[in-house]
Amino acid sequence: MAIITFGYDRDSIKTGIVHFGVGNFHRAHLEYYLNMLLEDSSQRKWGVFGAMILPSDRKLYDALKKDGGIYDLTTCSPSGEKKVYRIGSLKSVCWGIQEPDIIIDRIASPETKIVSLTITEGGYMVDYDSVGTVFWYMAKGLERRMKTGVPITVLSCDNLQHNGDTARNAFSSYFRARYPEVAVWADENVTYPNSMVDRITPAAESSKITDVVCEDFIQWVIEDKFAAGRPLLENVGVQFTDDIFPYENMKLSLLNASHSLLCYPAYLEGYRKVDAVVSDWRYRSLIKNFMDIDVSPYVPEPDGVNLEEYKLSLLSRFSNKTISDQVARLCSDGIAKLKVYITPTLAKILNDKKDSSRFAFLIASYCKYIMKGKTESGEKIEIFEPHITDEDKKIITAGSYMDFLALSPFKGLGLRNNMHFVAKYELFYSNNVAEGLDMLIKNK
């Protein structure tokens, strides 16, 4: 297969962006857009410096460093068409465990205009005491940057509603607690645009760790609130807006929430690939009813989007066999994901006294996934919950499926006191997944 390679001279590229979280999604999304943009000779100051700060980053860091940050990205359409792009926008990488000062100096450099983030939904939980977190790096970098007086933008690229506001609250809280002078300066000189990002990017299954595989669909909508200039990303398909809420609400409430709804029961039944799950008419019906009945009434249609067409496109994207998305990937970090994707709509459903059956089915499935730790066939589940709290651990260890309703993602919903929800939840918990799906389909 021919590789579509970049046509610009990498030596002519300056570094204007520091990015934390150089994982698959970042390299399939922001880097893909920038790689196209750098073909424009007027945009050659927007190369990326990759800040890799976790101990687990070492293997990928070594591989990227060896290849000078260059890697191959394969996009896959639902029809099976594949294209391979050689990406050169990642100018350099640094492993903070080894050389923290290099990352701090990059943040401080006037050449850096943007610090972007893909640190996952749970990454915005502030650790006030640890050195080497993203909050610590930003504080130390801004402490030095204050001497130059040059403002900067922090751009979240994570799947969070109001991700810029979330970033602002997290960083400001840390700055106020640990670096009060930085907090005062940042209030006046740092902006945090909200953005909506979208591209399904499975965990890599390749002989080369730097290679990335993703779907061909891509979307990025950003508030135009940049403190020190920005790349002309609108020239390569990025949409800028004054109101991000309709776009992020649509994506998180429909795409990400549907992923969470299907993954736990499907994994319990033995499914491992998302396309196989969606080809099962029971799950397709479950997802369609969830989107149409539960979610759509709370999703205002964004400008330029046909909501019905968008929902149909999601089913097509979920069915993409070529990217071979993993159910296990969707199951990971449920503590953080459910709070962001599921709780907001469930709160509205409960407040409006609507049927919450599909939510009860999801939470019962998640409970069995976490607390039993085995599939219905007895296979041990490898659970990945990096953002679980100590209180959550106590609840799970105690083993009460009713106490599970007090887990942190569901706090404030009063689920244990809602007799209608509890009745459905107990029913789904006591039955296997197939029986639960049958009940939901019959009682649409």
Side-chain angles (χ1 to χ4, degrees):
M1 185 183 302
I3 296 175
I4 304 168
T5 193
F6 51 86
Y8 51 84
D9 176 9
R10 290 185 87 224
D11 290 337
S12 70
I13 305 300
K14 294 182 179 179
T15 301
I17 299 172
V18 170
H19 183 84
F20 284 90
V22 189
N24 287 346
F25 178 77
H26 165 70
R27 288 180 291 129
H29 194 263
L30 187 151
E31 296 287 358
Y32 174 82
Y33 279 117
L34 288 174
N35 188 64
M36 289 191 290
L37 186 66
L38 291 175
E39 299 292 349
D40 180 347
S41 60
S42 72
Q43 296 295 298
R44 298 279 165 82
K45 62 181 180 180
W46 297 111
V48 178
F49 170 88
M52 307 174 76
I53 62 174
L54 302 177
S56 57
D57 288 335
R58 179 62 188 264
K59 188 176 180 181
L60 177 59
Y61 162 75
D62 285 343
L64 286 170
K65 182 80 171 177
K66 179 182 177 183
D67 293 338
I70 297 172
Y71 62 94
D72 289 345
L73 173 68
T74 301
T75 65
C76 308
S77 73
S79 67
E81 181 185 8
K82 294 184 179 182
K83 293 181 180 179
V84 182
Y85 298 87
R86 184 145 293 161
I87 307 295
S89 49
L90 184 60
K91 259 313 275 294
S92 58
V93 291
C94 178
W95 190 41
I97 305 294
Q98 200 170 56
E99 298 176 301
D101 272 346
I102 293 178
I103 296 176
I104 293 168
D105 284 341
R106 280 287 185 173
I107 296 170
S109 170
E111 187 178 82
T112 300
K113 310 298 183 184
I114 297 169
V115 172
S116 52
L117 312 167
T118 46
I119 56 177
T120 77
E121 297 86 353
Y124 296 85
M125 296 170 62
V126 180
D127 185 339
Y128 294 97
D129 300 318
S130 295
V131 171
T133 67
V134 66
F135 305 105
W136 178 83
Y137 275 103
M138 282 299 298
K140 300 301 288 185
L142 294 185
E143 191 175 46
R144 297 181 189 179
R145 191 180 183 93
M146 288 166 57
K147 298 172 185 176
T148 70
V150 179
I152 196 168
T153 296
V154 173
L155 177 61
S156 172
C157 302
D158 283 299
N159 281 314
L160 292 163
Q161 199 160 67
H162 308 307
N163 57 10
D165 295 340
T166 300
R168 178 192 296 108
N169 293 337
F171 283 103
S172 296
S173 173
Y174 180 83
F175 296 158
R176 286 194 299 270
R178 294 298 187 195
Y179 296 83
E181 290 185 4
V182 171
V184 172
W185 186 85
D187 284 345
E188 297 295 325
N189 294 280
V190 182
T191 58
Y192 302 83
N194 291 300
S195 72
M196 185 274 275
V197 298
D198 193 2
R199 180 167 243 185
I200 295 173
T201 308
E205 293 184 358
S206 171
S207 57
K208 191 170 185 181
I209 189 175
T210 57
D211 289 349
V212 183
V213 177
C214 64
E215 65 174 336
D216 60 340
F217 179 91
I218 189 168
Q219 188 177 21
W220 197 6
V221 185
I222 315 173
E223 287 180 341
D224 202 351
K225 297 178 180 177
F226 290 76
R230 64 168 178 82
L232 296 179
L233 288 164
E234 60 268 44
N235 292 350
V236 290
V238 176
Q239 182 177 350
F240 287 88
T241 182
D242 293 328
D243 184 11
I244 198 71
F245 174 77
Y247 299 93
E248 63 185 10
N249 182 51
M250 176 184 71
K251 192 259 181 172
L252 298 177
S253 301
L254 290 169
L255 187 154
N256 295 107
S258 294
H259 269 165
S260 291
L261 175 65
L262 70 84
C263 67
Y264 300 108
Y267 201 94
L268 291 172
E269 281 201 304
Y271 281 106
R272 296 297 175 264
K273 299 296 183 182
V274 176
D275 59 279
V277 178
V278 181
S279 70
D280 183 330
W281 71 273
R282 301 171 306 157
Y283 284 96
R284 200 173 183 92
S285 175
L286 174 70
I287 296 165
K288 191 171 188 311
N289 290 339
F290 175 72
M291 291 195 294
D292 290 344
I293 300 169
D294 299 331
V295 181
S296 289
Y298 302 106
V299 176
E301 194 169 72
D303 288 343
V305 176
N306 181 302
L307 200 60
E308 294 305 312
E309 291 179 0
Y310 180 80
K311 289 185 288 186
L312 288 174
S313 77
L314 291 184
L315 289 171
S316 174
R317 292 168 63 193
F318 292 169
S319 302
N320 190 336
K321 294 181 180 181
T322 317
I323 62 170
S324 194
D325 199 4
Q326 304 95 349
V327 178
R329 180 184 76 88
L330 306 186
C331 290
S332 67
D333 205 9
I335 292 284
K337 289 177 179 176
L338 293 177
K339 182 178 180 181
V340 175
Y341 307 151
I342 297 298
T343 297
T345 303
L346 177 54
K348 295 169 187 173
I349 290 281
L350 297 173
N351 184 66
D352 293 344
K353 296 180 169 54
K354 292 183 177 181
D355 178 37
S356 57
S357 295
R358 279 169 285 275
F359 293 90
F361 174 71
L362 161 59
I363 295 173
S365 300
Y366 181 54
C367 179
K368 287 188 278 190
Y369 176 93
I370 292 290
M371 294 185 74
K372 294 185 178 182
K374 292 182 179 180
T375 67
E376 291 184 337
S377 66
E379 178 189 349
K380 189 178 185 300
I381 298 172
E382 292 187 16
I383 294 168
F384 181 68
E385 289 287 352
H387 297 105
I388 193 169
T389 66
D390 290 339
E391 185 61 32
D392 288 334
K393 289 178 184 177
K394 290 178 183 177
I395 292 172
I396 292 167
T397 302
S400 166
Y401 73 91
M402 284 303 298
D403 288 346
F404 192 83
L405 297 178
L407 214 64
S408 58
F410 318 125
K411 267 189 175 178
L413 294 177
L415 296 181
R416 286 183 292 185
N417 300 321
N418 188 309
M419 56 183 294
H420 297 290
F421 181 88
V422 167
K424 296 285 187 182
Y425 173 72
E426 288 186 305
L427 187 63
F428 290 126
Y429 185 84
S430 62
N431 286 276
N432 63 32
V433 169
E435 290 166 333
L437 285 168
D438 188 53
M439 284 185 275
L440 286 171
I441 292 165
K442 285 181 178 177
N443 297 319
K444 173 184 172 183

